[in-house]
Amino acid sequence: MDETVAEFIKRTILKIPMTEMMTILKAWDFLPENQLQTVNFRQRKESLVQDLVLLCESKRASLRDAALLDIICEDVDLFDMERFKSSFEKILRRALKNVTVSFRDAEENAVWIRIAWGTQYRKPNQYKPVYVVYYSQTPYAFTSFCHLKSNTPLLSQALTVASNHHKIVKMDLRSRYLDSLKAIVFKQYNQKFETHNSTMPLQETLELDMHMDSRIIHENKIEKERVQRVTQETFGDYPQPRLEFAQYKLETKFRSDFHGGILAERKEPLRCLIKFSSPHLLEALKSLAPAGIADAPLSPLLTCIPNKGMNYFKIRDK
Amino acid sequence: MDPYDTPESTPRHGASSRLKGYFIGATPLRKRLESVRKQASFVPTPPRRKIPQCSQLQEDNDPQKFAFLLHKQWTLYSLTPLYKFSYTNLKEYSRLLSAFIAAEKQKGLAVEVGEDFNIKVTFSTLLGMKGTQRDPEAFLVQILSKSQLPSENRGQKVLWTGWFCCVFGDSLLETVPEDFTCVPLFLANGAETNTAIVGTWFQETFDCHFSSLAINAFNLSWMAAMWTACKMDQYMATTEFLWSVPCSPQSLDISYAIHPEDAKALWDSVHKTPGEVTQEEVDLFMDCLYSHFHRHFKIHLSATRLVRVSTSVASAHTDGKIKVSLNISS
């Protein structure tokens, strides 16, 4: 092993606090469990580091392995999968005696959870389980359709608490395809679908509800489709860049077709300061027209934000 | 719905002589809401609200007395009538509540040695804080900390303040049986733990019930319009509205601040009936704001939820919090 690599590994390990040492080494997964067990973790840190570096040398750690260790150390939010699982199960069991919980680790720091719900007196129904996929490095979890709606709050609570978050919000994002959800949510989605056509999203939302009565029709279908199309053209298909706010300083005269006489003689403009704030502003704005809260197309004052790379504006009458 | 919803009153801002004759008592609002609730069928609500020219408060010309009410955020609660409450027993109540608080604080809540055991509670009447003669007197409860050292006795710190009042409560007073005192509006400022303790004591002692008073968008619009209507020599703060947009999955808040002179100009242009504020005027005022916004952003603010209004006079939040900010000295 190169001198420089050894030195790099030594310094990296020295930076790790003793309380996190085992966790990080396990996460690094370069030194196998049985080897780690031969090391005395109670000795002085310098001696421990020396032992560990020797082990790395014997395993011929490369620069790449060392860099990986460095990355893991930088990752402050070390997620403990085992802790999550036990906490999750504990919360469910505390509330419901009859529940079956199973876990399966999957790729990309994901865990699949299967939950079969019972009641106080009945054993869990194994034929109607709920599946949850939680991506531990992200604040996202995907759940399958739950027949027993009454258990949803409990499930939400278990997920929230076990994953060390303080709130869970249900996204209005549903699809039969987990991968699509992932792509949207993890922003891996940047190009059009091959089969994309502008009315498809609308169809999906209309047909998702399997119990929909055929006697129910959608009003203003044409207008709704137009709105969808226009929104898509304005915002694109790809996930929006994440912004928290936009601010507009307006100095414009009051003008209204419906309120003719109001402020008609006033020459001075109205001085206003408008602030939009949202955890994800652009997505929020994009949702306004389809929700009926805004017209489509949305005002260019809002839609130009990503293009112009601005979110502070001063607007005056021309 | 709780039949004892309170008259929403803010302290008379006429403490400043510039603001003669405008009393922000929302009397007919209460009456109207009551009548809507009581009647099964839809009855057109009164479209106008008279601005009372004279009230009890005007007779009391000491603005300093109410100075402590200003510049503080008050959380509003509505309160059912108090059973066998007597204005002559205020000293006794002070003693009982002091003891109760001391007992509660010792019960395992965090106690800082020294300070919490030297608490004094005072009950006092707030003369003049009422709409008509019929209204019961308002009264004030304060939790003060007594300093350990005698030399510092003059500097008593007010830890918590709460006051109870009834303003233009005529319709409520008609239905209140004997032995009950009707002070349906309770305002609290200070730590929530103290509010809870005082509330518990009142509930146990007078068999009443507190509930949080939310202020809905309709009432917030009225407040915004009426406060904007106030003629001011000097504006201390901008007029601001906050809307919460029910879009998903992300929440969106829209804050709309307008220069107070411009807001006043808009109101003056809308306001046609002297001495009265009508529903149409309030609607038109808000509509103009919506329309100006829509012209720029193509968003319908009317489809969102008004959550907070703030003017130089006062501000109110839908969660039942108000703050009166008048500058008395001007």
Side-chain angles (χ1 to χ4, degrees), chain A residues 142-169:
Chain A
F142 305 89
T143 70
S144 68
F145 180 68
C146 185
H147 289 268
L148 276 174
K149 288 276 192 307
S150 54
N151 285 317
T152 310
L154 175 60
L155 177 60
S156 304
Q157 193 201 0
L159 270 173
T160 316
V161 174
S163 64
N164 271 330
H165 290 91
H166 66 269
K167 197 165 87 147
I168 188 167
V169 173

Side-chain angles (χ1 to χ4, degrees), chain A residues 61-96:
Chain A
S62 66
L63 184 58
R64 202 155 159 267
D65 298 314
L68 189 59
L69 175 63
D70 189 32
I71 291 178
I72 292 172
C73 291
E74 288 304 311
D75 190 356
V76 181
D77 197 9
L78 278 178
F79 181 76
D80 187 341
M81 184 57 86
E82 295 313 309
R83 198 166 15 121
F84 165 79
K85 288 183 203 169
S86 86
S87 176
F88 182 86
E89 183 161 359
K90 216 186 293 179
I91 294 170
L92 287 185
R93 286 207 182 286
R94 223 186 291 153
L96 266 182

Side-chain angles (χ1 to χ4, degrees), chain A residues 172 252-254 256 259 262-263 266 271-281 287-288 293-295 299, chain B residues 248 250-255 257-259 261-262 265 269 284 287-288 291-292 294-298 300:
Chain A
D172 267 353
T252 52
K253 275 195 69 171
F254 178 79
S256 169
H259 310 107
I262 307 290
L263 289 179
R266 190 177 167 92
R271 291 159 284 181
C272 303
L273 184 67
I274 314 266
K275 276 190 259 208
F276 294 85
S277 34
S278 164
H280 197 325
L281 180 64
S287 67
L288 293 181
I293 297 173
D295 298 340
S299 158
Chain B
S248 53
Q250 302 295 343
S251 66
L252 177 63
D253 286 331
I254 301 177
S255 149
I258 176 170
H259 195 287
E261 285 166 9
D262 297 339
S269 188
L284 185 52
D287 229 28
C288 288
S291 151
H292 187 67
H294 182 270
R295 183 161 80 85
H296 292 87
F297 299 103
K298 297 279 178 279
H300 301 285

Side-chain angles (χ1 to χ4, degrees), chain B residues 132-157:
Chain B
T132 63
Q133 278 288 37
R134 250 189 101 185
D135 290 327
E137 293 294 345
F139 63 94
L140 176 72
V141 178
Q142 284 189 305
I143 301 178
L144 308 146
S145 74
K146 278 190 295 193
S147 158
Q148 291 269 41
L149 307 169
S151 58
E152 286 173 29
N153 233 348
R154 256 177 273 130
Q156 274 181 352
K157 204 168 84 152

Side-chain angles (χ1 to χ4, degrees), chain A residues 202 218-229 290:
Chain A
L202 183 64
H218 281 263
E219 277 181 30
N220 298 330
K221 194 161 170 194
I222 297 175
E223 174 61 15
K224 283 202 177 123
E225 284 169 10
R226 184 196 76 86
V227 168
Q228 286 282 11
R229 189 174 20 94

Side-chain angles (χ1 to χ4, degrees), chain A residues 205-222:
Chain A
T205 52
L206 288 181
E207 285 160 29
L208 261 182
D209 191 344
M210 296 172 281
H211 308 293
M212 195 168 77
D213 194 320
S214 58
R215 290 169 297 182
I216 298 175
I217 56 166
H218 281 263
E219 277 181 30
N220 298 330
K221 194 161 170 194
I222 297 175

